[in-house]
């Protein structure tokens, strides 16, 4: 039986993953799919219970499961905790322990929510971008790193480092993604200033020789930020480093005006993956039953497609979400002013009913 590890995490994480679990159970019922779900704490919630944001029991479940669904981690109550024990460390630990180097962050505009963006409708209508972010290397994990010295003359430093092998494997992920889409790939770097980017550009170009059908371009990160808000539809697939991808993907998610709708996947080289909504733990509305569960539900669809290779299950979920939106159900984050809103659970009900 395929096992799915559920790591609800903090803030609205448990509320949104609850609804996603109902969707998985519905797959079992409709298609006799036999997914088994197992749940463990992660992030601040795990820290409270086990003094660690990524306890052994959670890590070992994540390792043994076929796929992982994560809600969200973090919250103001853990901001003063030692850096090594902060909720965010659990995410970084899962990524590196499971070698989830390829982070797929789609940004697409749902036609039903066309006016949710802060950009003009003609700039974003039909938007469909895929950001492929390197997730286990670069400045996030590079050494040396420290804050050292005497008070008043301390220095802090990090190291942005990539090996040729690390660049080549994320480049291949991105070219493969481009092959399944519009066959256009833009690699984003800072090669005018950084040696590490110069190597990045060289290796991406080399990998591109094996994908003659894909049109490869290169852009500096500053220009890419500008182009992303100026004319986002020029992009199909973007590939970039860990930190640049962190920044670009937040900007891209906001283009759609509905960050509560966007799923993501973090994959290893065998297709095993951790799936999570792009949005965070939203502590301000946690526990109020207001959160939008659709990004987490759509993350399950991504899981069905990428890890389990099951297009039928993925399509069933996506069609149900589309119908739910078409029928006018809205949580607060995607409702227009004055429009009636439904609870997290009612949104889950609506999707499950339409599957
Ligand atoms: C993200 C987040 C994380 C990151 C944080 C919470 C460590 O911003 O997934 O984009 O920087 O990767
Ligand atoms: Mg981020």
């Amino acid at each position: 039986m395929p096992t799915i590890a559920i790591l609800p995490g903090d803030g609205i994480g448990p509320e949104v993953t609850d609804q996603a679990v109902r969707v998985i159970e519905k797959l079992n019922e409709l298609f006799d799919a036999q997914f088994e779900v197992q749940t463990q704490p992660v992030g601040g919630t795990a820290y409270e219970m086990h003094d660690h944001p990524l306890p052994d029991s959670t890590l070992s479940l994540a390792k043994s499961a076929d796929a992982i669904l994560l809600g969200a981690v973090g919250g103001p109550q853990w901001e003063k905790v030692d850096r090594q024990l902060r909720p965010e460390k659990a995410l970084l630990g899962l990524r590196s322990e499971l070698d989830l180097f390829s982070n797929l962050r789609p940004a697409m505009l749902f036609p039903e929510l066309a006016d949710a963006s802060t950009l003009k409708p003609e700039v974003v209508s039909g938007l469909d971008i895929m950001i492929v972010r390197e997730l286990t290397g670069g400045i996030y994990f590079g050494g040396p790193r420290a804050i050292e010295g005497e008070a008043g003359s301390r220095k802090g430093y990090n190291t942005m480092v990539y090996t040729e092998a690390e660049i080549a494997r994320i480049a291949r992920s991105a070219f493969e993604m481009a092959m399944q889409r519009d066959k256009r790939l833009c690699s984003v770097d800072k090669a005018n200033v950084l040696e590490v980017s110069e190597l990045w550009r060289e290796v991406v170009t080399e990998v591109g020789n094996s994908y003659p059908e894909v049109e490869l371009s290169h852009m500096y990160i500053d220009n890419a930020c500008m182009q992303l808000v100026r004319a986002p539809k020029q992009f199909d697939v973007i590939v970039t480093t860990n930190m640049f991808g962190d920044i670009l993907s937040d900007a891209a998610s906001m283009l759609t005006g509905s960050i509560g709708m966007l799923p993501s996947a973090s994959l290893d080289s065998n297709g095993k993956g951790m799936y999570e909504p792009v949005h965070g733990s939203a502590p301000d509305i946690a526990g109020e039953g207001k959160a939008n569960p659709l990004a987490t539900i759509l993350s399950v669809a991504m899981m069905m497609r990428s890890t389990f290779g099951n297009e039928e299950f993925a399509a069933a979920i996506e069609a149900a979400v589309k119908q739910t939106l078409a029928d006018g159900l809205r949580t607060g984050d995607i409702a227009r002013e004055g429009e009636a809103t439904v609870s997290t659970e009612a949104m889950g009900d609506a999707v499950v009913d339409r599957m």
Side-chain angles (χ1 to χ4, degrees), residues 88 91-92 95 105 133 140 246:
E88 292 77 7
L91 267 186
L92 299 173
R95 289 171 184 173
R105 297 191 166 184
R133 169 190 177 193
Y140 272 52
D246 179 45

Side-chain angles (χ1 to χ4, degrees), residues 92-93 95-96 134-143 145 159 161 242:
L92 299 173
R95 289 171 184 173
S96 73
E134 200 291 327
L135 202 59
T136 52
I139 197 165
Y140 272 52
F141 293 95
R145 57 191 298 160
T159 307
V161 52
N242 204 340

Side-chain angles (χ1 to χ4, degrees), residues 93-143:
L94 283 163
R95 289 171 184 173
S96 73
E97 287 286 331
L98 302 181
D99 204 20
L100 305 171
F101 68 94
S102 178
N103 183 209
L104 310 179
R105 297 191 166 184
M108 65 245 175
L109 195 81
F110 290 79
E112 295 84 359
L113 305 175
D115 50 10
S117 177
T118 49
L119 274 73
K120 295 196 193 89
E122 63 268 26
V123 175
V124 291
S125 73
L127 181 80
D128 182 4
I129 300 175
M130 178 67 84
I131 297 184
V132 180
R133 169 190 177 193
E134 200 291 327
L135 202 59
T136 52
I139 197 165
Y140 272 52
F141 293 95

Side-chain angles (χ1 to χ4, degrees), residues 36-355:
E36 194 197 325
V37 301
Q38 285 184 36
T39 305
Q40 285 289 343
V42 73
T45 310
Y47 174 77
E48 300 300 337
M49 296 167 69
H50 302 285
D51 298 319
H52 199 284
L54 183 57
D56 288 340
S57 48
T58 302
L59 182 59
S60 70
L61 172 66
K63 282 185 169 164
S64 67
D66 298 289
I68 301 148
L69 183 71
L70 187 134
V73 298
Q77 63 270 56
W78 301 294
E79 265 160 24
K80 298 239 149 58
V81 171
D82 180 66
R83 177 175 298 279
Q84 290 312 315
L85 296 173
R86 288 206 200 134
E88 292 77 7
K89 270 285 164 188
L91 267 186
L92 299 173
L94 283 163
R95 289 171 184 173
S96 73
E97 287 286 331
L98 302 181
D99 204 20
L100 305 171
F101 68 94
S102 178
N103 183 209
L104 310 179
R105 297 191 166 184
M108 65 245 175
L109 195 81
F110 290 79
E112 295 84 359
L113 305 175
D115 50 10
S117 177
T118 49
L119 274 73
K120 295 196 193 89
E122 63 268 26
V123 175
V124 291
S125 73
L127 181 80
D128 182 4
I129 300 175
M130 178 67 84
I131 297 184
V132 180
R133 169 190 177 193
E134 200 291 327
L135 202 59
T136 52
I139 197 165
Y140 272 52
F141 293 95
R145 57 191 298 160
I147 300 174
E148 61 183 28
E150 302 296 318
S153 59
R154 291 179 303 163
K155 64 175 181 183
Y157 50 88
N158 290 84
T159 307
M160 194 190 284
V161 52
Y162 274 110
T163 64
E164 290 186 299
E166 284 176 310
I167 302 167
R169 70 175 180 173
I170 192 66
R172 279 192 297 271
S173 280
F175 278 105
E176 292 293 337
M177 180 55 67
M179 286 298 288
Q180 295 167 32
R181 295 174 45 108
D182 200 34
K183 301 192 172 61
R184 290 180 295 122
L185 177 62
C186 179
S187 171
V188 171
D189 62 37
K190 191 69 185 175
N192 51 343
V193 178
L194 306 175
E195 282 80 0
V196 58
S197 280
E198 200 180 310
L199 182 67
W200 176 278
R201 193 174 277 222
E202 211 177 280
V203 174
V204 171
T205 305
E206 223 170 84
V207 171
N209 292 333
S210 309
Y211 297 88
E213 284 174 61
V214 177
E215 181 194 312
L216 173 65
S217 60
H218 301 274
M219 212 179 260
Y220 299 136
I221 175 66
D222 50 348
N223 187 31
C225 288
M226 183 180 81
Q227 296 299 335
L228 198 61
V229 291
R230 190 188 70 85
K233 283 190 273 183
Q234 70 186 280
F235 296 107
D236 176 26
V237 181
I238 293 175
V239 63
T240 191
T241 58
N242 204 340
M243 187 163 69
F244 296 161
D246 179 45
I247 298 165
L248 270 184
S249 63
D250 257 32
S253 70
M254 223 33 228
L255 297 175
T256 70
S258 41
I259 192 166
M261 299 293 302
L262 299 176
S264 76
S266 306
L267 304 173
D268 72 4
S269 49
N270 303 312
K272 173 165 173 169
M274 179 162 84
Y275 298 81
E276 55 183 307
V278 165
H279 64 68
S281 59
D284 51 321
I285 58 162
E288 294 180 19
K290 286 185 188 164
N292 183 349
L294 295 180
T296 316
I297 290 173
L298 289 168
S299 298
V300 176
M302 247 182 139
M303 175 193 293
M304 293 303 145
R305 184 172 288 123
S306 296
T307 291
F308 296 112
N310 196 316
E311 182 58 37
E312 186 187 13
F313 293 0
I317 297 169
E318 286 165 354
V321 168
K322 220 175 152 37
Q323 192 57 50
T324 300
L325 291 175
D327 292 342
L329 283 98
R330 301 283 184 272
T331 41
D333 59 312
I334 53 173
R336 266 175 285 180
E337 215 166 285
E339 213 169 25
T341 61
V342 300
S343 69
T344 309
E345 196 178 344
M347 198 64 140
D349 286 341
V351 174
V352 167
D353 285 348
R354 285 163 181 74
M355 279 172 69

